[in-house]
Amino acid sequence: MAQKKYLQAKLTQFLREDRIQLWKPPYTDENKKVGLALKDLAKQYSDRLECCENEVEKVIEEIRCKAIERGTGNDNYRTTGIATIEVFLPPRLKKDRKNLLETRLHITGRELRSKIAETFGLQENYIKIVINKKQLQLGKTLEEQGVAHNVKAMVLELKQSEEDARKNFQLEEEEQNEAKLKEKQIQRTKRGLEILAKRGPFGFVTAAETVVDPEMTPYLDIANQTGRSIRIPPSERKALMLAMGYHEKGRAFLKRKEYGIALPCLLDADKYFCECCRELLDTVDNYAVLQLDIVWCYFRLEQLECLDDAEKKLNLAQKCFKNCYGENHQRLVHIKGNCGKEKVLFLRLYLLQGIRNYHSGNDVEAYEYLNKARQLFKELYIDPSKVDNLLQLGFTAQEARLGLRACDGNVDHAATHITNRREELAQIRKEEKEKKRRRLENIRFLKGMGYSTHAAQQVLHAASGNLDEALKILLSNPQMWWLNDSNPETDNRQESPSQENIDRLVYMGFDALVAEAALRVFRGNVQLAAQTLAHNGGSLPPELPLSPEDSLSPPATSPSDSAGTSSASTDEDMETEAVNEILEDIPEHEEDYLDSTLEDEEIIIAEYLSYVENRKSATKKN
């Protein structure tokens, strides 16, 4: 397959250089049949490439037929408005993986999915369509999603099939159940990430541990290369949280070699990363790693030709690494003391650049990049006996690999490095835990004064955790007194206040009806009710979620209320399940993305180098 792609790219390059139009005479006759001149052209190019003439002729004929199909499609689109979409089917369909489909562009994504499934014998509910590096949205029209004539559409399957699966009902049923579970998993992933992104900075989850404070909810912590949290502007926090969350989920699927499931997650991550500012993306290497993961996923799906900007993504990754790590990794060495572990990323970068160049017919550039990848592999290869030595000292296999690469394979230095890193991370976690403890104490203190948890969290966040500043903010912003923990739209009825509390407010000089309304708003909190009424001259401000008139009627209880409570409980359970699935895929080690056995890379480097070297050998012989 790789050799054929190389030959196609090379012949396309020759045709372009020689300005040969295969769809015109003498290569194509008036009936669009192949002309005799094509055989002579194949002989000419086979001599230049030192290839089999029949093989070259066959590929040129494929290029000619494709050019005619494209021309016919263009004419048809101009006259009828019917567009042609080039559909790339899953790798398991060995034959005719590239097909053309005609459609109008005003149909919805769901209609296109149905048409693709029906045309190519796929199960509609278990496929996803990727066009222009984005998942096809089922509810929008193709035009709304920027789908144009001659676009490429890649089909991803949510199930793993054997060649004879369709012949066996039991196997097919199992596959359908597996696909349903994976589709549900994808939906839970999206839901879980949305929940985590919406929950502001009032909890703590790192790649190493999960700490759920009693009065706080968790979120994905964003850390720099030292492991310390990065302060993110609120306007960009949600996008970055979603980007990193989808990336982690995609990487989890990549580890399990479920590339068809991983790719949609990675593309979603790319979409959200693009909403972040450039300065932020230069601070961490996540965006560069994501570009590599996307290209790697397309390659493993054998659909690199669907990624028309593979070169752009790889160049972007290289540029991001330079900005993040510094020229010649100087910034990285200054921060971490070494750059051995990060070299794994550059090995994959060079490998993918080599593959892309080979598929583009640039064998010289391909060899240069592949050779750089091979040299890095030799440098990063780890003696299994050294890993065993570190395992006997109580370290994990992952720690051993990362430590040995950071210390150029020296076991003693690696053991010291791992121990020091453990101590550094323990100190960072201790400091972060102390920050959370102090924040909890401050929240409890403010709650003791009568403020709600929500108000306490809001003001402490605004005051960067400083309690004295928080108190000043509260005194100058009395409206924060009525920030409560409930949603006024769903909890707009409070229990009737006690007559004793109403009398206390009346004794202070407030009207009885207004006093009762204020106590309803503040759930019987006399201190907050009195402060609010005093600050507003004895009346309730209009900004409050409840007006006095609405507050005078006692809450009614009905069967629907009970049903709502049950439904809310069920929703909460589902949310907890979705969040837990996300947290399960967060790697324990903060440098997990740098850990690789390099087994796949070793095989692929050898495979593609053999292609290039065989080409070089054939050239020398001739």
Side-chain angles (χ1 to χ4, degrees), residues 358-376:
Y358 182 76
H359 286 184
S360 300
N362 303 320
D363 42 351
V364 176
E365 292 86 349
Y367 179 77
E368 290 178 358
Y369 282 117
L370 291 169
N371 193 45
K372 288 172 74 173
R374 176 169 58 181
Q375 295 304 318
L376 262 185

Side-chain angles (χ1 to χ4, degrees), residues 28 42 45 49 63 72 98 103 184 186 261 328 491 537 610:
T28 299
Y45 285 162
L49 291 169
I63 296 173
T72 302
K98 190 190 302 183
T103 181
K184 289 181 179 178
I186 290 173
I261 311 294
N328 299 320
D491 190 18
S610 69

Side-chain angles (χ1 to χ4, degrees), residues 434-474:
E434 177 61 21
K435 289 180 183 178
K436 271 66 181 180
R437 186 192 65 78
R438 288 198 302 267
R439 187 167 64 230
L440 269 178
E441 287 184 353
N442 291 340
I443 289 174
R444 292 191 185 104
F445 178 81
L446 293 175
K447 286 182 67 179
M449 294 178 64
Y451 295 101
S452 68
T453 302
H454 182 53
Q457 290 175 336
Q458 289 274 33
V459 72
L460 283 170
H461 181 61
S464 300
N466 187 298
L467 182 59
D468 292 335
E469 288 297 321
L471 289 170
K472 290 179 182 178
I473 293 173
L474 287 170

Side-chain angles (χ1 to χ4, degrees), residues 133 287-299 304 307-322 345-358 360 369:
K133 300 172 288 300
Y287 190 50
V289 175
L290 175 63
Q291 304 309 306
L292 293 184
D293 288 341
I294 290 174
V295 180
W296 181 258
C297 206
Y298 272 95
F299 166 66
L304 256 184
L307 188 63
D308 52 6
D309 65 344
E311 181 179 11
K312 179 182 176 181
K313 285 192 174 297
L314 295 175
N315 289 340
L316 179 59
Q318 192 163 15
K319 181 181 177 182
C320 287
F321 283 139
K322 182 179 178 181
L345 302 175
F346 288 89
L347 184 150
R348 181 164 285 189
L349 172 64
Y350 298 147
L351 173 56
L352 289 171
Q353 286 175 322
I355 292 171
R356 191 207 65 79
N357 274 285
Y358 182 76
S360 300
Y369 282 117

Side-chain angles (χ1 to χ4, degrees), residues 264-491:
C265 291
L266 298 176
L267 294 177
D268 280 339
D270 195 39
K271 176 182 69 175
Y272 286 111
F273 265 124
C274 290
E275 296 179 13
C276 301
C277 67
R278 184 76 255 169
E279 292 77 14
L280 181 59
L281 298 182
D282 287 342
T283 305
V284 292
D285 54 9
N286 303 66
Y287 190 50
V289 175
L290 175 63
Q291 304 309 306
L292 293 184
D293 288 341
I294 290 174
V295 180
W296 181 258
C297 206
Y298 272 95
F299 166 66
R300 297 303 279 174
L301 286 167
E302 300 178 22
Q303 302 283 25
L304 256 184
E305 54 198 305
C306 290
L307 188 63
D308 52 6
D309 65 344
E311 181 179 11
K312 179 182 176 181
K313 285 192 174 297
L314 295 175
N315 289 340
L316 179 59
Q318 192 163 15
K319 181 181 177 182
C320 287
F321 283 139
K322 182 179 178 181
N323 293 335
C324 186
Y325 297 159
E327 193 73 38
N328 299 320
H329 306 165
Q330 292 172 351
R331 180 168 175 263
L332 186 63
V333 172
H334 176 73
I335 294 173
K336 288 190 171 183
N338 66 83
C339 60
K341 292 170 285 189
E342 280 72 16
K343 288 182 180 179
V344 169
L345 302 175
F346 288 89
L347 184 150
R348 181 164 285 189
L349 172 64
Y350 298 147
L351 173 56
L352 289 171
Q353 286 175 322
I355 292 171
R356 191 207 65 79
N357 274 285
Y358 182 76
H359 286 184
S360 300
N362 303 320
D363 42 351
V364 176
E365 292 86 349
Y367 179 77
E368 290 178 358
Y369 282 117
L370 291 169
N371 193 45
K372 288 172 74 173
R374 176 169 58 181
Q375 295 304 318
L376 262 185
F377 173 80
K378 292 178 180 178
E379 183 180 335
L380 295 172
Y381 174 77
I382 297 175
D383 186 344
S385 64
K386 293 182 178 181
V387 175
D388 290 338
N389 289 339
L390 290 172
L391 290 176
Q392 292 173 12
L393 295 176
F395 302 120
T396 67
Q398 185 176 66
E399 286 178 320
R401 285 190 295 268
L402 291 169
L404 287 167
R405 284 179 181 144
C407 300
D408 298 323
N410 187 300
V411 176
D412 293 334
H413 292 173
T416 303
H417 173 83
I418 298 169
T419 302
N420 290 341
R421 185 57 182 160
R422 280 184 172 184
E423 292 174 354
E424 289 173 6
L425 289 175
Q427 180 61 31
I428 291 172
R429 293 190 191 110
K430 182 179 179 181
E431 294 172 3
E432 294 289 341
K433 189 174 182 180
E434 177 61 21
K435 289 180 183 178
K436 271 66 181 180
R437 186 192 65 78
R438 288 198 302 267
R439 187 167 64 230
L440 269 178
E441 287 184 353
N442 291 340
I443 289 174
R444 292 191 185 104
F445 178 81
L446 293 175
K447 286 182 67 179
M449 294 178 64
Y451 295 101
S452 68
T453 302
H454 182 53
Q457 290 175 336
Q458 289 274 33
V459 72
L460 283 170
H461 181 61
S464 300
N466 187 298
L467 182 59
D468 292 335
E469 288 297 321
L471 289 170
K472 290 179 182 178
I473 293 173
L474 287 170
L475 289 173
S476 59
N477 296 274
Q479 68 270 20
M480 296 195 76
W481 292 338
W482 56 74
L483 277 176
N484 56 50
D485 298 319
S486 62
N487 184 344
E489 293 181 1
T490 59
D491 190 18

